[in-house]
Amino acid sequence: MRDIQRRTFVVAASAAAASPLAWAQGAYPAAKPIRYIVPVAAGGGADMIARNTCERLAKVLGQAITVENIAGGSGVIASQTTARAAPDGYTLIQAYVATHGTAPATRKLPFDALKDFTPIGMIGTAPNVLCVNPGVPVQDLKSFVAYVRARPGKLAYGSAGAGTLTHLVGELFKLQTSTFMTHIPYRGAAPAIVDLIAGQTQASFPSLAGASPHIRNGRIRPLAVTGPKRHPLFPEVPTFAELGLPGFDGEQWYGIMGPAGLPAPVTKTLVDALGAVLAQPDFQEKLSAEAVALRPMTPEVFAAYIKADIERWTKVARERKLDLES
């Protein structure tokens, strides 16, 4: 709950007259700028997604959007702020796997991740990748599993923090491979990767987006990625499924939600606007270059996805006896 950062950035919108969608939907949005809360500090991958999304949403809606970063506590403060806001469409949150996936699975939260929000839609997802320090004498997943089994408790994997996706993916890996590695939590993904490169830890399960620069320069070695198929940025890296772990999965995801009780016309306006943004080729190219694949979903499908994600990580947390304070 500490290290809370706030920063406001305004994306200038085109005139409402240039937006047929804004005119077609009537009064909303017209009263004031839309507040778009991002539950991470400015400058990271999630923040990049938010700013690129909002720049285009503002043009489609014909209304200014204020991007506000409220970091800390796995997004608890940002989520609570959104849940308590008036359900008028002028406060939205860029929900992601921490706020509406792993945090509800591992912590007691001051909000209900399902009941206190109105889903708008998914933006996109990025796979996670098992990476090892080049000093670890393995070249593939099978050899790594054997190497870890022969050294129970002597290897360590780093995560972005206790209860994060990179932590729970590591615990899921240990469950499904009957291995044991010591978990080392860091204050974010970046320091975890720094220590992996330095050899302070031997493995990690970062997002492919965060790991890709270090994979390309050879500072860390990828062994397998999550997801149903190989990623186009690294087609030589196999999936866990094709290597014999079909139940092993986990992905970073990003979507848009509002407070519970958004009026149906407002929700439809936002759903249509997000759909228009996701259909833009330059937006697709921008996120694809960052290892993020766009995943358009209806609000109903998005809600079901979130529910399933919480259930998945709750099961892992219970099996690993993870019960963290927020």
Side-chain angles (χ1 to χ4, degrees), residues 43-195:
D47 184 61
M48 175 277 296
I49 292 171
R51 292 171 192 276
N52 277 277
T53 300
C54 287
E55 179 182 5
R56 290 162 175 80
L57 274 177
K59 292 178 180 178
V60 172
L61 291 169
Q63 182 65 48
I65 298 179
T66 299
V67 177
E68 181 176 347
N69 298 88
I70 305 180
S74 296
V76 172
I77 295 178
S79 298
Q80 190 172 17
T81 299
T82 305
R84 292 177 175 177
D88 55 9
Y90 290 99
T91 300
L92 305 172
I93 185 171
Q94 182 169 285
Y96 74 120
V97 66
T99 60
H100 289 73
T102 59
T106 58
R107 305 173 188 272
K108 295 179 180 179
L109 302 176
F111 58 84
D112 188 304
L114 296 172
K115 297 179 181 178
D116 292 342
F117 298 87
T118 298
I120 303 301
M122 177 81 81
I123 298 173
T125 63
N128 286 72
V129 55
L130 167 57
C131 293
V132 298
N133 178 275
V136 178
V138 301
Q139 299 295 326
D140 54 52
L141 181 64
K142 182 177 179 181
S143 298
F144 179 68
V145 171
Y147 187 78
V148 177
R149 284 177 179 167
R151 297 160 181 81
K154 294 185 179 180
L155 277 72
Y157 79 93
S159 79
T164 63
L165 180 64
T166 51
H167 176 199
L168 293 183
V169 169
E171 295 303 303
L172 179 61
F173 179 82
K174 288 156 64 175
L175 281 171
Q176 295 199 356
T177 59
S178 299
T179 56
F180 179 75
M181 293 184 287
T182 301
H183 170 230
I184 307 296
Y186 290 83
R187 296 172 71 94
I193 291 180
V194 167
D195 267 14

Side-chain angles (χ1 to χ4, degrees), residues 17 19-20 47 51 71 80-81 83 91 106 179 198 208 247-248 267 269 276 300 306 312 323:
S19 173
D47 184 61
R51 292 171 192 276
Q80 190 172 17
T81 299
T91 300
T106 58
T179 56
L208 186 59
F248 184 85
T267 300
T269 296
E300 295 76 18
I306 293 171
R312 173 211 300 272
D323 186 10

